[in-house]
Every structure is written in C-alpha cells, then in structure tokens.
C-alpha cells in the first residue's frame, strides 16, 4: 500500500495527537519533546498526565495539559484510566478525524505521520500501528455469566505497541466507545489482566472484529533502534529511547550533538529532519 500515492486529503489539523505522561516525567521526558517535535504541531498535541503543572501548562496550548486525575502509579488500572481519558478527549473533539496515541518517550515525525494517514480513508474503521511480537497474543478471557460463574476461554488477537504509537480513525473510535466510557475500558483491562495497549487490541480486534493494519514505520524501544538507517529517517513516523543496561543505551544512531548533550538523540533527530529550526541545531558542526 505504501507504494501507491497518498490519495486522501488529510492534513495536520485533522489529527489529534495524544501523549501519555506522568508527573515524574514532566522534566525528564516532556522538556525535550517541547523543544523539538511539539513546536511543529502545538495545536494538535494534548498531554495526558496525573497532576497539575503550571510550568508545563504555560508552554503548551491552553487546555492541552490534561490532568486525568488517574493515579500516578504504574499499575494496569491507572494506565488504562489514562488511555480511556485520551480516547474520550478525542471523542469530544469532533473536528479531528484521527486519534494518534504516543508515549512520552517517543519522537514523532509530524510530516511522516500525516503522509502515512493520507494513504487511508478516514471514513473507514482503521487501527494502524506496529506489532511488537510476530504472533498474535494469546489471552485467557474471564467470562462471567448471569449467575456470576467465571469461565476461562483462550482468545487470540493482534495489538499495536503503545510505546511505538498507533492511530485510530473516528468511525472506529465511535464504534468502540461503549467499551471505553464509564470505566468500561478499565474493567476490560482488569478482565484480561493485561496492559492498556493490549486492552486496546482486545477491544478492537476481539470484541469488535476490526483487524490491525500493520504500519512498520512506528518504532518503540522494544526494537534495536540503532538498526533504523539514517537515510530513512524522514520516512519513519516515530522513534524512542531506553536503557538496556548501565553501559548500553538503546538509542537511534545519528550524528549531531554529543550523547552527553542529547542523551535521547531527539535534538539530533530534529535537527537532521528540520535543519536550523531550533537553537540547539546551531551547535552542530556539519
Ligand atoms: N506512565 C504513566 N504512569 C506511570 C508510568 C508510566 O503514565 O506510572 C506512562 C509513561 O509516561 C509513558 C508510558 O506510560 O508514556 C510508558 O512508560 P515507560 O516508558 O516508563 O515504560 P515502558 O512500558 O515503556 O517500559
Ligand atoms: Mn517507554
């Protein structure tokens, strides 16, 4: 499909970009996002967090730092609570056609994201993302009958890795809303006992029978990021970073600023894609 020319008139203003974060990452992770890719799409990016923070609120569009009031602990129900808040916020922003979720350790290549979406009809029910495992996941479903007897059944489905980013079209979001609103998403996550991104896959693929469309241009730190060739960066939709161990970082391989000045590589990626657009690029000798 990527060989065909983009054929739908989607533009940046049609996209709702949602970034999941938490109070303790506002400095360590949001600052570099605010310096880089956020500058290209301020009006479309919303941050979903778990506390108020005037310092960040001042740097984003008014109302775009959302305190979900979800718990800030890293457990399933608080992460599912946040994912549900992200999807519900999109649902009540009717001028946007696409919902795209990212984590706060993602770099999002805005033009590449829009270009990818132009290949798909926003009127269709679409679930676009990167699978992290080469097989569908097998899950024990806990089904409760009217007498509250619980039976377990094996179900199998694909899901898109939340840490790479994924997009849902509005018709798909409208369809799954009954399984998102009023705590339904958290309850579903609890019933399969798996993380929020797996719960999204379970709801879309298993409950509503819409198949994931794999888009390999999303990247999470579950892959070896140094394997992405620099010549292809302008085509890639998302990047990430993480630490394998004290010695080794899983980061994108790119020249530019030193690892000391740019440990996430996001400044260097941004200067590579959009030369000269931010001050940090001035320090790069070409
Ligand atoms: N996160 C969160 N609350 C937490 C921990 C993490 O909202 O208590 C968010 C975090 O900001 C990020 C995503 O969940 O957007 C994934 O977290 P992280 O990258 O730390 O862990 P991973 O699952 O990638 O190992
Ligand atoms: Mn992560």
């Amino acid at each position: 499909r990527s060989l065909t020319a983009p054929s739908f008139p989607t533009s940046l203003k049609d996209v709702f970009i949602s970034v999941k974060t938490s109070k303790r990452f506002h400095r360590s992770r949001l600052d570099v996002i605010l310096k880089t890719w956020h500058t290209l799409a301020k009006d479309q990016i919303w941050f979903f967090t778990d506390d108020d923070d005037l310092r960040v609120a001042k740097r984003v569009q008014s109302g775009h730092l959302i305190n979900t009031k979800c718990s800030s602990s890293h457990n399933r129900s608080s992460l599912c609570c946040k994912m549900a808040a992200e999807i519900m916020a999109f649902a009540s922003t009717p001028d946007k056609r696409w919902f795209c979720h990212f984590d706060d350790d993602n770099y999002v290549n805005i033009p590449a994201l829009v270009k990818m979406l132009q290949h798909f009809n926003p009127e269709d029910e679409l679930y676009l993302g990167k699978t992290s495992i080469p097989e569908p996941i097998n899950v024990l479903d806990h089904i409760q009958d009217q007498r509250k007897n619980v039976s377990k059944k094996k179900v199998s489905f694909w899901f898109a890795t939340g840490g790479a980013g994924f997009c849902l079209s509005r018709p798909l979001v409208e369809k799954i809303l009954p399984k998102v609103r009023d705590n339904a998403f958290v309850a579903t996550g609890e019933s399969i006992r798996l993380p929020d991104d797996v719960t999204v896959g379970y709801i879309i693929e298993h409950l509503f029978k819409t198949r994931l469309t794999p888009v390999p241009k999303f990247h999470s730190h579950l892959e070896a990021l140094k394997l992405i060739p620099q010549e292809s960066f302008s085509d890639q939709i998302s990047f990430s970073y993480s630490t394998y161990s004290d010695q080794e970082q899983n980061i994108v391989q790119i020249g530019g600023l030193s690892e000391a000045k740019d440990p996430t590589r996001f400044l260097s990626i941004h200067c590579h894609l959009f030369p000269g657009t931010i001050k940090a690029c001035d320090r790069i000798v070409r």
Side-chain angles (χ1 to χ4, degrees):
R1 198 191 289 243
S2 60
L3 293 175
T4 61
S7 44
F8 297 95
T10 298
S11 70
L12 183 54
K13 66 170 183 7
D14 300 316
V15 191
F16 184 104
I17 299 173
S18 164
V19 179
K20 178 170 69 175
T21 188
S22 186
K23 176 76 171 176
R24 66 181 165 287
F25 297 133
H26 286 189
R27 268 174 210 280
S28 58
R29 297 188 183 188
L30 289 198
D31 278 4
V32 70
I33 291 178
L34 294 173
K35 267 188 215 153
T36 58
W37 61 273
H38 176 259
T39 61
L40 301 180
K42 281 187 169 188
D43 291 338
Q44 349 295 136
I45 303 170
W46 279 260
F47 294 94
F48 292 82
T49 190
D50 38 43
D51 206 351
D52 297 323
D53 185 340
L54 206 57
R55 191 187 69 93
V56 174
K58 278 194 225 154
R59 299 171 67 188
V60 303
Q61 297 301 65
S62 160
H64 285 222
L65 178 69
I66 295 178
N67 181 355
T68 59
K69 310 276 163 86
C70 300
S71 140
S72 63
S73 60
H74 193 175
N75 57 37
R76 183 171 46 239
S77 73
S78 54
L79 293 177
C80 283
C81 168
K82 241 176 234 173
M83 181 64 76
E86 293 178 54
I87 299 172
M88 292 311 297
F90 167 75
S92 52
T93 312
D95 63 310
K96 302 281 181 283
R97 290 170 166 265
W98 289 98
F99 167 79
C100 296
H101 157 94
F102 294 94
D103 278 358
D104 58 4
D105 52 3
N106 283 134
Y107 179 95
V108 182
N109 182 359
I110 298 289
L113 173 68
V114 174
K115 210 164 130 197
M116 181 275 294
L117 292 174
Q118 288 171 343
H119 287 94
F120 297 95
N121 186 348
E123 309 286 323
D124 291 343
E125 292 167 358
L126 287 161
Y127 175 28
L128 311 173
K130 168 84 154 265
T131 57
S132 58
I133 42 177
E135 304 283 329
I137 192 169
N138 292 309
V139 162
L140 265 189
D141 206 354
H142 294 64
I143 303 159
Q144 212 177 65
D145 65 18
Q146 280 153 348
R147 294 177 169 173
K148 305 241 164 181
N149 294 318
V150 176
S151 58
K152 292 178 190 171
K153 191 172 140 244
K154 210 176 98 177
V155 299
S156 170
F157 57 90
W158 293 94
F159 71 96
T161 309
F166 62 83
C167 298
L168 312 178
S169 64
R170 178 164 295 277
L172 177 59
V173 170
E174 304 280 349
K175 186 168 80 164
I176 66 168
L177 227 43
K179 281 286 168 192
V180 179
R181 62 158 61 108
D182 305 331
N183 204 49
F185 191 94
V186 174
T188 305
E190 286 309 309
S191 78
I192 57 169
R193 298 173 187 179
L194 286 164
D196 54 339
D197 53 353
V198 187
T199 303
V200 171
Y202 173 83
I203 292 173
I204 295 174
E205 280 228 335
H206 178 67
L207 297 182
F208 288 96
K209 306 298 175 206
T210 296
R211 296 278 91 99
L212 171 71
T213 302
V215 177
K217 291 174 179 180
F218 289 101
H219 300 282
S220 77
H221 55 66
L222 296 174
E223 29 177 323
L225 293 161
K226 64 173 181 235
L227 298 181
I228 307 171
Q230 192 168 328
E231 313 82 70
S232 76
F233 280 9
S234 62
D235 256 2
Q236 308 299 342
I237 297 166
S238 60
F239 303 97
S240 188
Y241 58 88
S242 68
T243 310
Y244 285 131
S245 66
D246 285 351
Q247 284 84 38
E248 214 190 337
Q249 305 288 112
N250 182 14
I251 49 177
V252 165
Q253 201 158 71
I254 183 168
L257 295 163
S258 68
E259 279 184 34
K261 286 206 174 76
D262 183 22
T264 68
R265 310 314 288 149
F266 284 7
L267 295 168
S268 302
I269 294 170
H270 194 78
C271 295
H272 172 80
L273 293 174
F274 311 102
T277 53
I278 57 169
K279 232 163 117 201
C281 307
D282 299 349
R283 284 183 283 156
I284 298 174
V285 199
R286 283 176 186 270

